[in-house]
């Protein structure tokens, strides 16, 4: 019989080194810092859950598709709300213990239950499309492609179901250790390949249509004398960028693999059960101790490291345009600068509500679901992306008074020029002549004519950092 170790117990025993004499380090204390990134709370909602849901460590997290946020609770209620306004689109009561998902894509929403049921709903209306049975607990969101839904169950199996009917197309299996962390990796789909990590430390890729194994690569091998030492679970989703796969495992490594063969291009010893996120150039890893690390994709070189949130049970990072967002065990959401790792913003979602599952991101908007069922959306807009204020129109200085001349010789009046590059008035003065001629005898008018400045073009906004 497989034993599932609660994550909190595993982290506690490992941190303590299984020794009663060694004290466990407390979570890092939050300190004030200058809030450099403006954050706005768009809306919040209550999905529900209760104490039982909090203790079960379920794989319930938000999903975003086509401007709609989907969320569910263990009591079987699933809802869809507008990403911009938070207004309900639909609510569906399924009356089953939902434990995985939901995931959304290609017009459908799919969730799994503690009893192995897979349920698909219409994304626009919430109408149930089909229900299938796998007969094993589900603890991670499915992956949805145009024709296949991929589910990962706790018994070490990866299942492919027909998207239109829920019919089981194929099923493949990896060996499950006797002891593992509570949770399973979320599968992903890339280029007609389904990829997932497993509790034995392997990453496996299978054909999306046939289920044939294309490759499986060991990210880490169990070692040590105790069962706790030998835990090498991959409990987070891998990421694919182009032809490369990025993966991170508990008490194992963070590595880049070839999508077509599974060959390891580079790897670094690093422990993570929350996983990683990627952008165009870097990957961002939440380590097991709460340290957040940025690494270059091409060679794995470390870009920056932030350990100011250690032991705070951080979530998987979410990438926005200028920052990385992570949530913690006390209901705080933190933003770190993508370039430096510096803390730039912080908001509290709810008091004493842990966030275990990955938040969802869309542009600069981050949606978080706490374990107790609080659903909230935040938008962090970098200052550089704000439209510049309208430029003030410069006031022309009055012309200097003209002294009546003593002679009759005319004097040349210096012209006013503009800067051609920017269009901004740039008055220039002609150097005085060595022997200036006297001004004309005609006196100057009492009031000089008004000078109308040319239109001012505001400078272009600075690019985002």
């Amino acid at each position: 019989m497989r034993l599932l170790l609660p994550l909190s117990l595993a982290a506690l025993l490992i941190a303590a080194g299984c020794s009663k004499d060694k004290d466990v380090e407390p979570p890092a204390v939050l300190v004030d810092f200058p809030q450099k990134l403006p954050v706005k709370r768009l809306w919040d909602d209550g999905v529900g859950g209760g104490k039982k849901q909090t203790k079960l460590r379920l794989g319930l997290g938000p999903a975003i598709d086509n401007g709609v946020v989907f969320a569910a609770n263990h009591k079987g209620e699933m809802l869809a709300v507008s990403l911009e306004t938070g207004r309900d689109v639909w609510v569906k009561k399924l009356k089953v213990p939902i434990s995985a998902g939901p995931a959304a894509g290609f017009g459908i929403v799919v969730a799994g239950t503690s009893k192995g049921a897979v349920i698909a709903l219409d994304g626009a209306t919430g109408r149930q499309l089909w229900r299938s049975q796998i007969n094993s607990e589900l603890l991670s969101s499915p992956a949805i492609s145009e024709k296949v839904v991929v589910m990962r169950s706790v018994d070490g199996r990866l299942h492919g179901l027909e998207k239109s009917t829920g019919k089981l197309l194929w099923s493949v299996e990896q060996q499950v250790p006797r002891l593992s962390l509570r949770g399973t990796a979320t599968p992903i789909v890339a280029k007609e390949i389904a990829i997932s990590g497993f509790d034995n430390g392997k990453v496996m890729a299978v054909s999306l249509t046939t289920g044939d194994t294309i490759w499986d690569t060991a990210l880490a091998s169990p070692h040590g004398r105790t069962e706790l030492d030998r835990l090498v679970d991959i409990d987070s989703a891998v990421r694919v960028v182009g032809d490369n796969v990025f993966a991170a495992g508990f008490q194992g490594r963070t590595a880049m693999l070839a999508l077509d063969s599974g060959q390891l291009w580079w790897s670094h010893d690093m422990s993570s059960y929350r996983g990683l996120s990627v952008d165009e150039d870097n990957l961002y890893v939440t380590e097991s101790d709460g340290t957040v690390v940025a690494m270059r994709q091409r060679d794995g070189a470390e870009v920056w490291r932030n350990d100011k949130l250690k032991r705070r049970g951080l979530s998987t990072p979410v990438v926005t345009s200028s920052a990385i967002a992570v949530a913690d065990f006390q209901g705080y959401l933190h933003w770190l600068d993508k370039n430096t790792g510096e803390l730039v913003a912080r908001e509290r979602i709810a008091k004493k509500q842990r966030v275990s599952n990955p938040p969802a991101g869309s542009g600069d908007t981050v949606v978080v679901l706490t374990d107790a069922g609080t659903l909230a959306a935040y938008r962090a807009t970098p200052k550089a992306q704000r439209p510049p204020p309208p430029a003030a129109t410069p006031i022309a200085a009055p012309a200097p008074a003209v002294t009546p001349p003593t002679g009759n010789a005319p004097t040349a009046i210096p012209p006013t020029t503009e800067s051609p590059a920017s269009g901004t008035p740039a008055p220039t003065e002609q150097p005085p002549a060595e022997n200036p001629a006297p001004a004309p005898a005609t006196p100057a008018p009492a009031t000089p004519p008004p000078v109308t400045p040319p239109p001012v073009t505001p400078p272009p906004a600075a690019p985002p950092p």
Side-chain angles (χ1 to χ4, degrees):
M1 179 179 179
R2 183 187 180 205
L3 300 177
L4 295 174
L5 181 67
L7 193 56
S8 57
L9 178 60
L12 178 63
L13 292 176
I14 293 169
C18 303
S19 172
K20 296 180 180 179
D21 298 329
K22 185 175 180 180
D23 295 331
V24 178
E25 293 185 59
V29 177
L30 298 181
V31 297
D32 294 334
F33 58 88
Q35 186 123 337
K36 300 179 181 179
L37 181 64
V39 176
K40 179 182 179 181
R41 185 164 180 148
L42 299 180
W43 50 264
D44 59 79
D45 200 348
V47 180
K51 294 182 179 180
K52 184 177 181 182
Q53 177 171 307
T54 303
K55 294 178 180 179
L56 287 176
R57 300 279 180 162
L58 304 175
L60 298 176
I64 303 175
D65 183 52
N66 198 27
V68 179
V69 179
F70 302 91
N73 63 35
H74 191 52
K75 296 179 181 179
E77 185 175 87
M78 191 182 302
L79 74 158
V81 300
S82 167
L83 176 62
E84 289 296 324
T85 66
R87 294 180 180 177
D88 288 350
V89 177
W90 53 258
V91 178
K92 182 75 172 181
K93 295 184 178 180
L94 300 172
K95 299 180 181 180
V96 290
I98 299 177
S99 57
F106 294 94
I108 68 170
V109 183
V110 183
T113 74
S114 300
K115 298 182 179 180
V118 184
I119 302 171
L121 307 179
D122 181 85
T125 65
R127 178 177 61 89
Q128 182 171 314
L129 300 176
W130 50 262
R131 183 178 297 203
S132 186
Q133 192 69 30
I134 289 179
N135 295 324
S136 180
E137 187 181 19
L138 300 168
L139 287 176
S140 62
S141 295
I144 303 175
S145 70
E146 187 175 359
K147 296 181 180 180
V148 182
V149 175
V150 182
M151 300 292 303
R152 165 83 162 82
S153 55
V154 299
D155 61 357
R157 289 183 176 272
L158 194 65
H159 311 267
L161 294 85
E162 191 173 40
K163 171 181 167 288
S164 58
T165 64
K167 177 184 176 182
L168 183 64
L169 301 176
W170 48 263
S171 180
V172 292
E173 184 180 9
Q174 284 282 342
Q175 184 178 2
V176 179
R178 186 172 61 177
L179 188 67
S180 68
L181 299 178
R182 170 76 170 169
T184 57
T186 299
I188 69 160
V189 173
K191 297 184 179 181
E192 298 301 312
I193 300 175
I195 311 168
S196 179
F198 290 85
D199 297 341
N200 58 4
K202 288 188 175 182
V203 179
M204 181 170 66
V206 302
S207 168
L208 194 61
T209 55
T210 65
D212 294 336
T213 300
I214 299 174
W215 52 262
D216 66 339
T217 301
L219 201 62
S221 299
H223 61 275
R225 293 180 297 176
T226 68
E227 292 293 336
L228 289 176
D229 292 335
R230 296 175 64 82
L231 291 173
V232 289
D233 298 49
I234 301 176
D235 275 359
S236 58
V238 302
R239 308 294 179 185
V240 175
V241 179
D243 294 325
N244 299 316
V245 180
F246 299 91
F250 181 64
Q251 297 187 151
R253 295 182 290 181
T254 295
M256 182 175 78
L257 304 87
L259 177 61
D260 58 352
S261 65
Q263 180 181 351
L264 278 169
W265 295 124
W266 58 256
S267 65
H268 294 288
D269 291 340
M270 189 177 292
S271 178
S272 174
Y273 55 84
R274 295 301 193 195
L276 54 86
S277 294
V278 296
D279 60 14
E280 296 82 2
D281 303 310
N282 298 330
L283 60 148
Y284 308 90
V285 185
T286 299
E287 293 192 284
S288 301
D289 66 355
T291 301
V292 183
V293 183
M295 309 167 70
R296 279 203 310 253
Q297 287 186 19
R298 64 177 182 269
D299 55 11
E302 186 173 309
V303 178
W304 53 258
R305 173 181 294 264
N306 187 312
D307 59 1
K308 295 181 180 179
L309 302 174
K310 291 184 71 172
R311 297 172 295 279
R312 295 193 62 85
L314 299 185
S315 69
T316 305
V318 177
V319 179
T320 67
S321 65
S322 64
I324 306 301
V326 289
D328 70 15
F329 79 109
Q330 287 186 326
Y332 286 97
L333 186 59
H334 312 267
W335 283 262
L336 288 71
D337 185 89
K338 282 173 65 172
N339 297 321
T340 65
E342 174 187 10
L343 283 164
V344 291
R346 177 187 297 143
E347 294 288 337
R348 190 157 201 180
I349 308 159
K351 292 184 178 180
K352 298 181 180 180
Q353 293 192 20
R354 180 184 59 209
V355 179
S356 297
N357 291 291
S362 176
D364 285 324
T365 302
V366 177
V367 181
V368 186
L369 178 64
T370 70
D371 292 6
T374 298
L375 182 68
Y378 295 86
R379 179 164 294 159
T381 306
K383 294 181 180 180
Q385 292 186 2
R386 290 183 168 184
T393 303
I395 302 175
V402 180
T403 304
T406 57
N408 295 325
T411 301
I413 300 175
T416 299
T417 61
E418 294 182 3
S419 171
S422 62
T424 306
T428 58
E429 296 182 359
Q430 288 280 61
E434 294 183 1
N435 297 313
T442 304
T447 303
V451 178
T452 303
V456 178
T457 303

